Amino acid sequence: MRFAFLSSTPPSPTEGSGTWVAIDGLARGLAALGHVVARRPLGGRTGFHTLDRWLYNAALVARPPAADVVVGVDLDGFLWARGRRRAGGPAPRFVVALKGIIADELRNERGVVRALLALQARWERANTARADRVVVPSRYSASVAQALYDVPGERLAVVPEPVDVAEWRRRFGEAGRRGTAWPTVLAVARMYPRKRLDDLLRAAAALRARIPGVRVRIVGEGPESGRLRALHAALALGETVAFLGEVSRQRLAVEYASADCFCLPTVQEGFGIVFVEAMAAGLPVVACRAAAVPEVV
């Protein structure tokens, strides 16, 4: 069977975060089963992501995907899907895979970012209305899709994100278990308000008073980077908290293998792949009882 994946998420684990990781894992899994998988990646970048996403979808209308099943990730495919049955010949099946439901994510944002996400949420809602099937990674996401996008239950399917545990174990083996001279807490996230990394910084300040040698290492970048670094300075955290930025998958494996604990106080997740990665590394996990996190942890 021929599959075409549509996604305007940046095609890398650093910028694309869990969405890219999930797409990559599923595409490789389908190919290993003998299917033909084509990915339509994001091309040119304007520096304005909402515009990039609209341009990506307009290009799909001009050059439609050729496949038996088209998988539109989040909002992608919403313009093409509007006219797919009028294009002549049998229309491909259209599946929308919601990774992080935008209408849910924007509730933790503010200002211009919130307004732009509200526009993207309208596109995503239209996409789900035009799909033959809507796939979500958790029961939580299913309830949100029904509540915010009016997706009927009979068109929804809950399919947890595929994670290649064997690949991670290979990477952990290459990294080796590297003990440190101090207790180390690891967090991995794109820096959005909903990840609540500011709570982690405040917790680090409190924890330092009880365990002077404790270290907190944060992997990732994002819109909250400047504010978090300012808070780090205001709390005088110094070497207690280290911002590592965006790292390679192998470097991330080293961080997982070197940590004693994983902590991410996020309050909005459609799934939360980093929790699975941390558990694959054998780390105890500290998280909030929020969104889909209790289903994963």
Side-chain angles (χ1 to χ4, degrees), residues 85-285:
R85 298 190 187 281
R86 299 195 301 268
R93 302 289 286 175
F94 183 44
V95 176
V96 167
L98 296 178
K99 300 303 182 183
I101 298 174
I102 299 172
D104 190 29
E105 294 174 346
L106 68 82
R107 294 190 283 198
N108 290 285
E109 299 289 348
R110 50 189 173 269
V112 174
V113 173
R114 184 183 178 100
L116 291 172
L117 286 178
L119 174 61
Q120 293 184 33
R122 288 199 290 273
W123 298 343
E124 188 170 73
R125 181 188 178 101
N127 214 27
T128 62
R130 294 163 184 163
D132 298 305
R133 195 76 161 167
V134 177
V135 176
V136 293
S138 63
R139 295 188 301 275
Y140 169 79
S141 292
S143 67
V144 172
Q146 288 181 295
L148 299 184
Y149 291 160
D150 294 323
V151 179
E154 61 270 18
R155 283 203 292 119
L156 276 168
V158 176
V159 182
E161 299 289 22
V163 177
D164 192 340
V165 176
E167 179 192 3
W168 274 111
R169 287 178 175 158
R170 177 184 61 78
R171 291 184 183 275
F172 296 146
E174 293 174 358
R177 181 64 65 179
R178 304 184 183 184
T180 60
W182 43 76
T184 301
V185 179
L186 177 67
V188 180
R190 287 290 292 168
M191 291 178 173
Y192 297 119
R194 62 183 179 271
K195 303 297 183 175
R196 299 292 175 92
L197 290 169
D198 53 341
D199 287 350
L200 181 59
L201 295 187
R202 294 186 179 92
L207 190 59
R208 180 178 56 181
R210 299 173 57 186
I211 308 174
V214 71
R215 297 289 186 268
V216 176
R217 297 171 67 80
I218 300 176
V219 171
E221 285 291 345
E224 289 284 279
S225 177
R227 190 175 74 87
L228 291 169
R229 284 171 167 79
L231 179 60
H232 175 276
L235 294 172
L237 286 167
E239 63 182 8
T240 298
V241 176
F243 294 101
L244 306 180
E246 296 172 345
V247 304
S248 68
R249 299 294 275 172
Q250 190 54 42
R251 171 68 188 283
L252 180 56
V254 171
E255 292 298 328
Y256 279 130
S258 303
D260 297 295
C261 173
F262 183 87
C263 179
L264 181 60
T266 178
V267 293
Q268 194 286 321
E269 292 290 334
F271 185 74
I273 280 183
V274 291
F275 294 119
V276 180
E277 293 173 352
M279 290 187 288
L283 294 179
V285 171

Side-chain angles (χ1 to χ4, degrees), residues 31-88:
L33 291 172
H35 299 290
V36 176
V37 179
R39 302 189 226 183
R40 186 77 68 88
L42 180 66
R45 308 281 289 276
T46 66
F48 184 26
H49 188 51
T50 300
L51 176 59
D52 289 343
R53 303 197 85 174
W54 190 89
L55 291 172
Y56 174 92
N57 279 276
L60 291 174
V61 177
R63 189 165 65 91
D68 303 306
V69 178
V70 175
V71 181
V73 179
D74 297 330
L75 62 83
D76 292 312
F78 79 100
L79 291 175
W80 164 80
R82 182 173 56 190
R84 68 187 171 103
R85 298 190 187 281
R86 299 195 301 268

